[in-house]
Amino acid sequence: MMKIKNLVSAKLSTRTAILFGAALFAIAALCLLCARYFFLQNLNEIEQQHVIQHVEQAEKMIDIAVRQQLKRSFDWSYWDESYQLVKQGDAAYRERNLYYDGLQSLDIDLMVFLDLDGNVAESIYATEQDKTVPLPAQFRQRLLAPEGLGLKLAAEIEDEAVTGNAYAGLLRWGDDIMIVSVAPIRNSLGNGPVAGWLIWGRYLSEVFPGQYSDVLATRISLAAITSDANTPYPASAALQSDNSGEYLTASVILNDINGMPLAMLNSSHLRTIYQQGSQLISWLAMAMFVVAVVIGMLTLLAFRLKVGSRFLAFEKGLEALVRDRYSAQMKAEGSDEFSIIEEVINQTLTKSTHSNSALNDVVQKFDALYRTSNLGLLMVLDGQIVDANDTIAEILSYPSGQGLIGQSLLNLCPASSHQYCKVEALTQAVNGGQRHFDTELLASDGRVVACKLEVMPIKQQCGEALMFSIKDVSRQKEQEGLINQMERYDTVTGLLNRQTMLALLEDKLSSGQRSSCSVVYIRIERFSNIVGAFGHQMADEVLAAVAKQLKSMSGKGLLGRVAESEFAILLSDDNYFAPYRFAKVILSSLGKPFQVEGVELRLSASVGLVLLPTTTMSAEQAISAAEFATYCARTKKSRIQFFDSQIEQQLKSHIVIQRDIANAISQGDIYPDFQPIVNSKTEEVCGFEALARWHHPELGGISPEQFIPLAESRELIVALGSCILEKSCEFLAQVNSRRKELGLGALTVNVNLAGSHFSHPQLLPQLRTLLERYQISPKYLIIEITETMLIDSNPGVIQQMQAIKNLGIKLALDDFGTGYSALSSLCEFPLDIVKLDRSFVQRIGQETQSEILISSIVNMSKALELKMVAEGVETKEQKQTMQSLDVAAIQGFYFYRPMSAQAAMEVALQVCVEEAY
């Protein structure tokens, strides 16, 4: 005890020398301990990996034996004699095939044949006396018990369609373990039905580890375990060491054919590497410790002689400085570290005389910054405002900062923000690392001002104050609210937008509400016609009216606008029929006439339904599926379509079409078929209409109603039109060239162009190029356009039409009568032909007014010097009516269906022609 006290009172140089020596010894000892630990740890890990590899190798050997037995059993299970045995019986089968030497050559101990009812058709078992007997009853019961093969065979037998699965694994067999395989019995070709099962068994002890002793490098053993369900077993290899530490054992659990724990596979390895390494590191540690002690003593002696003297001189200098009360400077000698410290002390004494004046300057600058800051500043002590600048007074509508001094901080906080006005809570939050807060403050006129608050604790002589930096963010909050509104809601209807609907639906699905959730998708049909007829402003008003109508019906459902004229409603209802009934109400309501800006409209819609409890779709997939269902609903009388397996298959086809259409257009896989047009008087072919066709390698023939709208939406319609136009011109040149050789007149070819293609700047150059390349007379090429193009026409479109006319090419108005145009408007456009839509022709014989209407259209066309072509003529009555009305040409299935270019060429060369238009 006296020695320790003497050490505490010793000089700094003495204590430093002693502590330095002790630290040196401690570092050496720590390094030795760490080296020993990590070295032995690495050796231990190496031995563990080694023994685990061996036990896993042994496990793989067993698995190989199991799989090889199953593979060999197929030679017998796919044998016609085995098939006949379980199918019809064979009394001589045992005598021919089942004997002891046969079992030995197959390396098995039992063989059992079962029919489809699970009855034993034949069996053989090798006894310990090297004899064979039919499988004893107690063994048969053990083999077919539930803990044996009973469960798997029962599942196969109870299944209506026997799948013929094969199984193999391990099975407890008394005190031993047996490798068991089950193979379905079929005919030798393998194409017949399953007639039963073949079971092979072999004692594992005869195979393992004896046959693999040359491969396995460690001591391997098997230990049976009880089948107690409450006993936990490791999922992977477990390691353990014996009490002496001489052996390291790795164990894995072997499961039986039913997946239940069966036996423990152990691999033991002698720990020679670890033991030798431990002994080596112990000797090395002793040698290093002796060397460290010697070096430490020498270093301590050198430190005492060389560094200790400077410590003594430095201590004397400090004692003199304290005696003079810091009025005199220390005497700096030499150029070592101690002299640097002495110089620093001298400079510190010199600079301390200027501290008070500099501090006063800082206080004045801080006060100026405090008063002129563009942030509101408050100083709060014990819950009372002790100082405030004019900026915070301006934010809170006070005359000056003086008006806030002396008030309680609670006076500035509305009820919603009291948690930020309690000094204790603020101090606790600041001490926890939180400095920034979003809060609201109460202005003098009662307004609530949104603010960002930064709190900084400041220590003062009278306690700890809080400095508040306050920024007015009211305008920013308003802008954020507006941005959030625009991000979440549709600007036209005020409904939720597509992204918000997807997010809300995803939340419902992820929170376990799928069982009661369904998607109702509403598409307003032919909405583009409304845009074309009345303009975008009117169309927006119509959308707003529809949204209001849907909102009144949706109740608690989530309603959103997810596309231009498409809406979605998320329903939460456990009733399976609720979405369908709701869809019928929607269609009934939308089908009633209503007025928008004085115009009476009647809308038609299609509804797609997706019942999410029957699917595993994501939100995006569910909305897309419902959207696709609306396309399919257009062809149904009810206009409602559930997304079922059939529609799902159509959607998959739609996705394939989307994937391949661009490549099909670029490689010319979409080609024209040609439908003949006949002269109504002579009924002879006078021309053809080119109709785009696509034969997909996976899906077969694809309807133009599928791929043409898709090409328009993918902006591929111009490329598609160009491809069909060029192939049609090539066909026209070939046909008329051959007909000219035969002395026959020329035919025409009609080619349909989309509105976007018709307005494309490269259309005219392409037409000139094609006319020149194929040497076509332009009057035999007819470009067909739609009424929608005329509705949306502008001076540029009319100029394009006139430019095409100037080339000598004729223009035809296709599907006349399906849009909003009138005959009186046809004189405004440079047309040559009007093609009457098939909907007019189909009403012949059904409505008495149809012939009167068609007659009026034909007469009006003649008055405008426009040729009339009737489309969709399918019956004799329709043909005769068109002829009686003096229609120029007829097109329809009554005469010809669309045909390939080769078939069209044959038709063109077999008939005469009389020009119809």
Side-chain angles (χ1 to χ4, degrees):
M1 189 70 178
M2 291 298 294
K3 292 181 179 179
I4 295 176
K5 290 183 178 180
N6 293 336
L7 179 61
V8 172
S9 59
K11 294 286 186 177
L12 178 61
S13 58
T14 302
R15 284 183 287 167
T16 301
I18 294 174
L19 291 175
F20 178 78
L24 186 62
F25 291 135
I27 291 173
L30 182 61
C31 291
L32 288 173
L33 290 175
C34 290
R36 182 180 188 278
Y37 171 79
F38 288 112
F39 180 73
L40 294 180
Q41 183 69 18
N42 288 335
L43 292 179
N44 186 50
E45 290 179 358
I46 291 172
E47 287 192 333
Q48 288 179 355
Q49 293 176 1
H50 184 69
V51 73
I52 289 174
Q53 288 176 355
H54 282 293
V55 76
E56 290 176 348
Q57 182 183 21
E59 185 180 15
K60 290 179 181 178
M61 295 298 104
I62 295 176
D63 184 61
I64 290 172
V66 172
R67 286 189 281 108
Q68 286 180 345
Q69 178 172 305
L70 176 61
K71 182 178 179 181
R72 289 186 291 108
S73 69
F74 279 104
D75 293 338
W76 280 64
S77 67
Y78 277 42
W79 190 21
D80 287 338
E81 288 196 20
S82 301
Y83 185 80
Q84 293 298 324
L85 171 66
V86 297
K87 192 74 175 178
Q88 301 175 357
D90 187 350
Y93 183 88
R94 178 182 184 89
E95 183 178 351
R96 291 196 312 270
N97 303 307
L98 302 181
Y99 45 86
Y100 181 80
D101 291 340
L103 291 185
Q104 292 301 305
S105 64
L106 293 174
D107 287 334
I108 58 174
D109 295 302
L110 68 84
M111 184 188 302
V112 179
F113 295 84
L114 298 180
D115 61 19
L116 286 177
D117 295 326
N119 299 320
V120 177
E122 188 60 82
S123 66
I124 184 172
Y125 176 72
T127 65
E128 295 179 355
Q129 292 77 25
D130 297 338
K131 297 181 179 180
T132 59
V133 297
L135 185 67
Q138 69 271 22
F139 290 171
R140 181 184 306 174
Q141 181 179 4
R142 178 187 302 168
L143 182 66
L144 301 180
E147 60 271 15
L149 300 177
L151 292 178
K152 292 188 177 296
L153 292 175
E156 290 284 344
I157 294 171
E158 293 173 2
D159 196 351
E160 294 182 1
V162 178
T163 59
N165 293 327
Y167 310 97
L170 304 179
L171 194 65
R172 189 186 304 278
W173 197 263
D175 296 331
D176 206 339
I177 296 172
M178 179 170 285
I179 301 174
V180 178
S181 63
V182 181
I185 298 177
R186 286 192 171 94
N187 58 20
S188 58
L189 297 178
N191 56 4
V194 176
W197 294 271
L198 173 63
I199 303 175
W200 279 14
R202 179 167 178 78
Y203 288 110
L204 178 62
S205 58
E206 296 185 7
V207 180
F208 185 88
Q211 293 185 3
Y212 301 97
S213 58
D214 295 338
V215 179
L216 302 173
T218 57
R219 187 171 61 187
I220 301 296
S221 63
L222 274 172
I225 58 177
T226 61
S227 58
D228 187 359
N230 296 322
T231 303
Y233 295 104
S236 58
L239 292 169
Q240 61 181 2
S241 178
D242 60 358
N243 295 332
S244 64
E246 184 177 358
Y247 284 93
L248 182 65
T249 302
S251 305
V252 294
I253 298 298
L254 296 179
N255 293 329
D256 65 11
I257 195 169
N258 296 310
M260 300 299 295
L262 178 64
M264 184 80 75
L265 180 63
N266 301 316
S267 173
S268 299
H269 181 70
L270 186 63
R271 306 191 69 185
T272 53
I273 298 177
Y274 182 84
Q275 292 172 350
Q276 292 175 359
S278 178
Q279 184 176 9
L280 175 63
I281 198 66
S282 298
W283 285 105
L284 181 63
M286 292 179 61
M288 291 181 64
F289 181 76
V290 172
V291 172
V293 169
V294 174
I295 294 175
M297 295 298 294
L298 295 175
T299 303
L300 183 62
L301 179 61
F303 180 85
R304 180 68 177 171
L305 295 174
K306 298 295 183 181
V307 181
S309 58
R310 287 297 290 136
F311 265 108
L312 292 174
F314 184 70
E315 289 174 5
K316 293 178 180 179
L318 290 177
E319 291 175 356
L321 186 63
V322 172
R323 282 197 309 269
D324 296 337
R325 298 183 179 181
Y326 307 102
S327 58
Q329 294 186 346
M330 294 183 66
K331 184 178 180 181
E333 296 179 350
S335 58
D336 54 14
E337 289 80 359
F338 289 103
S339 62
I340 295 174
I341 296 174
E342 292 167 348
E343 184 64 30
V344 169
I345 293 174
N346 292 335
Q347 293 180 7
T348 302
L349 292 174
T350 302
K351 292 178 180 179
S352 64
T353 57
H354 305 288
S355 297
N356 290 334
S357 58
L359 182 60
N360 291 332
D361 293 340
V362 171
V363 170
Q364 292 176 3
K365 292 177 182 178
F366 175 78
D367 185 67
L369 180 62
Y370 183 83
R371 300 300 172 189
T372 59
S373 173
N374 58 358
L375 295 176
L377 299 174
L378 285 177
M379 187 77 72
V380 178
L381 182 63
D382 296 332
Q384 300 294 317
I385 300 173
V386 296
D387 201 359
N389 67 356
D390 292 337
T391 304
I392 187 60
E394 181 180 351
I395 293 173
L396 301 180
S397 301
Y398 281 85
S400 66
Q402 292 295 324
L404 290 165
I405 296 175
Q407 292 193 37
S408 171
L409 183 61
L410 290 173
N411 294 344
L412 303 183
C413 295
S416 61
S417 301
H418 272 184
Q419 70 269 27
Y420 298 118
C421 296
K422 296 178 180 179
V423 175
E424 298 82 2
L426 274 174
T427 303
Q428 185 177 0
V430 171
N431 292 337
Q434 186 178 2
R435 297 289 179 87
H436 300 273
F437 306 90
D438 289 325
T439 185
E440 294 176 337
L441 297 179
L442 195 62
S444 62
D445 55 7
R447 290 182 300 108
V448 176
V449 181
C451 299
K452 281 192 176 294
L453 188 67
E454 182 179 1
V455 181
M456 180 71 67
I458 298 178
K459 293 187 178 296
Q460 295 186 339
Q461 293 181 352
C462 53
E464 186 176 79
L466 295 177
M467 170 72 79
F468 290 79
S469 298
I470 302 166
K471 182 180 180 181
D472 183 0
V473 293
S474 301
R475 185 179 297 275
Q476 180 181 342
K477 291 288 185 182
E478 293 175 1
Q479 293 174 347
E480 289 176 355
L482 181 60
I483 293 173
N484 182 62
Q485 179 77 12
M486 294 174 65
E487 288 178 348
R488 290 177 54 83
Y489 295 92
D490 175 53
T491 56
V492 175
T493 62
L495 302 179
L496 299 172
N497 59 24
R498 185 183 185 92
Q499 290 73 21
T500 306
M501 290 288 287
L502 288 172
L504 293 174
L505 177 56
E506 195 63 51
D507 289 342
K508 282 180 174 290
L509 299 181
S510 60
S511 61
Q513 302 181 47
R514 179 184 294 273
S515 60
S516 62
C517 197
S518 59
V519 178
V520 180
Y521 199 98
I522 305 104
R523 176 193 300 278
I524 307 301
E525 300 294 350
R526 296 190 296 276
F527 187 74
S528 59
N529 292 342
I530 296 177
V531 177
F534 303 108
H536 289 283
Q537 181 63 36
M538 177 70 170
D540 288 348
E541 295 294 334
V542 172
L543 289 174
V546 171
K548 182 177 180 181
Q549 200 167 354
L550 292 176
K551 195 171 185 179
S552 66
M553 296 183 289
S554 60
K556 295 182 180 179
L558 296 175
L559 172 63
R561 180 188 177 202
V562 292
E564 180 187 19
S565 59
E566 298 164 19
F567 301 84
I569 302 175
L570 308 183
L571 294 182
S572 297
D573 197 320
D574 295 328
N575 191 328
Y576 181 84
F577 299 100
Y580 185 80
R581 289 197 292 265
F582 183 57
K584 292 185 67 176
V585 172
I586 291 174
L587 291 177
S588 176
S589 177
L590 293 178
K592 297 176 182 178
F594 65 98
Q595 288 193 346
V596 177
E597 294 187 355
V599 178
E600 183 175 284
L601 298 172
R602 187 190 299 269
L603 301 177
S604 64
S606 300
V607 178
L609 301 177
V610 174
L611 304 179
L612 292 173
T614 63
T615 71
T616 57
M617 297 179 181
S618 65
E620 182 71 41
Q621 291 170 335
I623 293 295
S624 298
E627 179 183 4
F628 184 76
T630 60
Y631 288 103
C632 302
R634 292 184 297 185
T635 60
K636 299 187 67 174
K637 184 178 180 180
S638 64
R639 311 289 289 185
I640 302 173
Q641 176 64 60
F642 280 94
F643 186 80
D644 52 21
S645 58
Q646 182 179 0
I647 302 302
E648 183 179 8
Q649 188 60 41
Q650 294 180 23
L651 176 58
K652 291 179 180 178
S653 299
H654 179 72
I655 294 172
V656 172
I657 294 171
Q658 278 189 316
R659 180 195 68 194
D660 297 340
I661 186 170
N663 190 54
I665 292 173
S666 64
Q667 298 196 2
D669 293 337
I670 300 180
Y671 55 88
D673 274 357
F674 298 92
Q675 184 177 24
I677 303 171
V678 301
N679 185 292
S680 64
K681 293 180 180 180
T682 65
E683 298 186 5
E684 298 292 340
V685 174
C686 60
F688 296 91
E689 179 179 359
L691 302 171
R693 294 292 185 264
W694 182 12
H695 188 84
H696 193 277
E698 297 178 21
L699 306 178
I702 300 174
S703 170
E705 294 181 354
Q706 289 182 271
F707 67 79
I708 289 179
L710 183 59
E712 290 178 339
S713 65
R714 295 275 301 277
E715 297 184 355
L716 299 171
I717 194 65
V718 174
L720 175 58
S722 297
C723 177
I724 299 300
L725 179 60
E726 178 162 359
K727 292 185 178 181
S728 300
C729 289
E730 182 181 5
F731 170 77
L732 178 60
Q734 293 173 353
V735 165
N736 286 339
S737 175
R738 294 287 303 278
R739 287 180 65 86
K740 185 176 179 180
E741 294 173 359
L742 298 174
L744 301 175
L747 301 181
T748 60
V749 169
N750 295 28
V751 181
N752 293 272
L753 292 185
S756 57
H757 192 184
F758 193 83
S759 305
H760 198 273
Q762 292 300 316
L763 177 59
L764 282 173
Q766 184 186 16
L767 288 172
R768 294 191 188 98
T769 301
L770 293 175
L771 292 176
E772 182 179 353
R773 178 186 302 166
Y774 296 108
Q775 295 298 303
I776 300 172
S777 177
K779 65 179 180 179
Y780 298 118
L781 178 62
I782 301 172
I783 302 298
E784 293 190 10
I785 59 178
T786 62
E787 282 189 279
T788 305
M789 189 187 304
L790 299 184
I791 293 170
D792 296 334
S793 65
N794 52 57
V797 172
I798 298 175
Q799 291 175 7
Q800 183 88 319
M801 294 175 68
Q802 192 60 55
I804 293 175
K805 288 276 291 181
N806 293 339
L807 292 176
I809 298 172
K810 294 181 180 180
L811 295 176
L813 179 61
D814 192 21
D815 298 332
F816 179 76
T818 58
Y820 286 87
S821 66
L823 279 170
S824 59
S825 65
L826 297 180
C827 60
E828 301 177 10
F829 304 98
L831 298 170
D832 300 287
I833 302 165
V834 174
K835 300 188 72 174
L836 185 66
D837 186 67
R838 67 189 309 274
S839 61
F840 289 97
V841 178
Q842 297 302 314
R843 290 200 291 265
I844 293 176
Q846 300 178 6
E847 301 177 6
T848 56
Q849 298 89 348
S850 60
E851 292 186 24
I852 300 174
L853 177 60
I854 296 173
S855 178
S856 300
I857 295 174
V858 172
N859 292 332
M860 185 70 72
S861 298
K862 290 180 179 179
L864 295 173
E865 297 182 355
L866 299 175
K867 301 292 184 180
M868 176 65 69
V869 178
E871 294 184 301
V873 175
E874 298 179 357
T875 66
K876 186 175 181 180
E877 181 183 4
Q878 294 170 356
K879 181 203 75 166
Q880 292 174 345
T881 302
M882 292 297 103
Q883 289 174 333
S884 66
L885 293 175
D886 197 20
V887 171
I890 301 174
Q891 179 181 351
F893 289 175
Y894 180 79
F895 292 101
Y896 297 98
R897 291 179 177 271
M899 59 188 68
S900 66
Q902 182 179 356
M905 177 71 75
E906 294 175 359
V907 170
L909 299 181
Q910 290 174 358
V911 297
C912 299
V913 61
E914 182 174 334
E915 186 174 348
Y917 50 88

